[in-house]
Structure formats: C-alpha cells, structure tokens
Amino acid sequence: YLSDDTIPCNNCNYCMPCPYGLDIPGILGCWNGAVAEGRLPENPSDPDYAVNRRRFLIDYERSVPALRRAERCTGCGRCSPHCPQSIDIPAAIRRVDDLVEKLRRNGRA
C-alpha cells in the first residue's frame, strides 16, 4: 500500500474543515484506493488503461460531491499545518486534479 504513488493520508480529518469546502480525505482516498488496487490510470499504453480510466472517474465522481472536488482547491495551504503526516496537501490535491483533468480530456467516462 505504501508505494511511491500513494499519498500518506490516513483519513484522520485534522485537515478539515477546508475553508473552501473540499473533501480532502475523500479526494486523497480516491487516489489511494486506485493505487492500492493497482488501477491508477496513468499510462495510456497500458492494456487496462481504458477500464481503469473509466472506473477512476466514476469512483471519483461518486465518492466526492461536485462542490467538494479537487478543482476547487485554491492552494491556500491552511490544511497542511494540521496534517500529522506532513503532507503538502495542496500539491497532493493538484496531483489528483491534474490526473482527473487528463482523464476527462482523453474521452468520456
């Protein structure tokens, strides 16, 4: 589980509430779930990319309400000092948002 791709969030919620309404643990949990199950869709040449892409987007959209998703992060950093794992939360959120945007550009879910 603790591969290089995971974000070391343990869902403690110390980063919450986000002043902009993000579901930080939900966003990071969606990423970590995909990593843990070996289905993070990063390489379009992977034979399972299309299936993993669709599943990631569906899981993300079902588990994180629209007004609480990564694209709403302003990068204010108010969350990071409260994280016992010392996660750079805005950078982690950007990582998830970058992947979601890339997946959305590469077709429909």
Side-chain angles (χ1 to χ4, degrees):
Y1 179 78
L2 294 176
S3 75
D4 290 342
D5 286 334
T6 59
I7 299 167
C9 176
N10 63 8
N11 200 28
C12 69
N13 287 305
Y14 291 156
C15 57
M16 298 297 285
C18 168
Y20 296 95
L22 271 69
D23 178 2
I24 297 167
I27 293 166
L28 302 183
C30 190
W31 174 281
N32 285 339
V35 170
E37 294 176 13
R39 55 176 180 77
L40 191 66
E42 292 185 297
N43 184 355
S45 64
D46 179 357
D48 295 325
Y49 176 80
V51 169
N52 289 337
R53 178 193 156 276
R54 179 171 163 61
R55 184 168 178 195
F56 184 88
L57 287 173
I58 289 171
D59 287 351
Y60 182 71
E61 290 171 4
R62 285 184 179 165
S63 64
V64 182
L67 294 177
R68 302 193 65 177
R69 293 186 187 149
E71 70 251 13
R72 297 183 54 86
C73 181
T74 66
C76 73
R78 292 183 192 168
C79 47
S80 292
H82 303 288
C83 178
Q85 308 300 345
S86 300
I87 299 169
D88 179 352
I89 296 172
I93 295 290
R94 243 184 340 271
R95 186 176 183 193
V96 175
D97 188 43
D98 288 348
L99 176 64
V100 169
E101 288 308 310
K102 175 184 145 191
L103 297 176
R104 286 179 179 159
R105 280 192 310 270
N106 289 339
R108 298 278 175 227

